[in-house]
Amino acid sequence: MNRFGSRLSFSPARVIATVLIAVPLFGQVGLRAQSAPKQIAIPLPPLGWSSWNSFSNTVDSRVVMDQAKAMISTGLHKAGYQYINIDEGWWLGQRDGHGNIVVDPKAWPALAPGERAGDMSNIVRYIHSLGLKAGIYTDAGKNGCGTFSPDIGPGYPNQGSEGHYEQDFLQFARWGFDYVKVDWCGGNKENLDPAVQYAEIARAIAHAEAITGHRLYFSICEWGRNSPWTWAPNVGGAPADIWRTSGDIVAPVVAGSKNTGRKASFQKMLRNFDQGIHPEAEHTGFYNDPDMMVIGMPGLSDAENRVHMSLWAISGAPLIVGADLTKLSEATRAILTNSAVLAVDQDALGLQAIKVAEQGGGLEVWSKRLVTPGERAVVLLNRTASAAPIAVHWSDLGLGGSEADAKDLWAGKDLGSFSDSY
Ligand code: GLA
């Protein structure tokens, strides 16, 4: 066992160390001052929860209220998580004679005196009353994903916003939503051009924002098929804030679902991490989105959950929890709220990691530049099935010739000062 064996030899392997490397303690103060970047404040990756992975199209007011409460009671909100996102299944494709979305009043009842059942602003008010933010979901096409691949119950047509972009996004803003995810199942089926459709949607969002004075965070979900990182941050008057870079890590894990018994997959999580790396597109507050996380869902061990969290954090990815927040284990809770790891995700420079070294098949060193000059976050990723030592050389981090301090973020431990590698 090497001297870092205890950290690098869990079994089964594919193990991770998340390390923070800091610049020399001596002789570098002047260099630090000279190299300090002019950093303006940028929006950081969103932190929150989404209904899809654990509730599929069974999402309703009760589910959302329970999850919102749990975001507070688990300490996730205190750690920085704020969005409660309602994904597909919240409406069944019905509109009134004026084309306005009609929702089931039983699923979305009045929650306070004076409220009307069937009005989505009720649940938004509830979410806001807890100090949280609210997200909603639609599709860029006429139909939504539930039309083509229904999960629980029959497939409902017309769950998309095509033909109603201005009306729907204005409605979302008027209801008070702060975030909207726009899926691509309908657009894909109709063979539409996503860059064109999402530009239309961006204009509708800008219009809604101008009328209501209410900001809608814009999440594109086109699964990376048409390289959204090349156009999503530039569309229309309201560029997308985040864009999906891959398919879903997991089909919903919920009783009654056609996927009942299915589990979150570590391999698919790794695939989504790989497909999410487009560092050239991730800057000034715009982020690649490798999908909602599966941390804490059936199928992943605690060690695998830590790997997952390390990879999303070093990607500067949106951290949208897919697990049922009312059932988090203490280990999962600790992983999701580790402040040092969250700080890597939320670093003010807003950059993504790149792979800086590979030692033989599957032993990789990933590094993300942090806002403090000379600091790097580093993930040592062992993709093989057995334990192995991995070294990170300062020269691979652009810190050559330096003595640097290393810290293990998961253990919360200073590892010491090292002259050229760890
Ligand atoms: C697609 C998206 C998922 C989820 C489902 C809902 O698969 O990629 O994130 O929104 O649709 O049906």
Side-chain angles (χ1 to χ4, degrees), residues 165-177:
Y165 287 166
E166 282 208 356
Q167 186 172 19
D168 286 1
F169 291 92
L170 182 56
Q171 178 70 90
F172 298 153
R174 284 201 165 129
W175 278 335
F177 283 102

Side-chain angles (χ1 to χ4, degrees), residues 310-329:
S310 298
L311 295 178
W312 261 235
I314 205 150
S315 298
L319 302 181
I320 307 295
V321 182
D324 179 345
L325 298 183
T326 66
K327 295 187 180 147
L328 295 184
S329 70

Side-chain angles (χ1 to χ4, degrees), residues 52 87-88 137 145-146 149 181 183 185 221 223 244 246-248 291-292:
W52 183 249
D87 206 281
E88 202 204 340
Y137 166 97
C145 296
S149 42
K181 168 175 165 182
D183 216 332
C185 284
C221 179
W223 323 302
R244 281 276 295 275
S246 49
D248 301 357
D291 197 8
M292 301 166 283

Side-chain angles (χ1 to χ4, degrees), residues 16-18 305-315 341 379 410:
I16 202 106
T18 304
N305 282 328
R306 267 193 303 276
V307 176
H308 184 349
M309 186 74 182
S310 298
L311 295 178
W312 261 235
I314 205 150
S315 298
V341 176
V379 165
W410 283 117

Side-chain angles (χ1 to χ4, degrees), residues 138-140 169 180-184 198 201 218-222:
T138 189
D139 195 283
F169 291 92
V180 61
K181 168 175 165 182
V182 187
D183 216 332
W184 188 238
Y198 284 110
I201 289 165
F218 182 16
S219 157
I220 286 183
C221 179
E222 175 270 1

Side-chain angles (χ1 to χ4, degrees), residues 12 15 88 92 116 123 145 179 187 198 242 248 254 272 321 341 388:
V15 179
E88 202 204 340
L92 304 179
R116 183 180 60 79
I123 193 66
C145 296
Y179 181 118
Y198 284 110
I242 59 175
D248 301 357
V254 44
N272 275 34
V321 182
V341 176

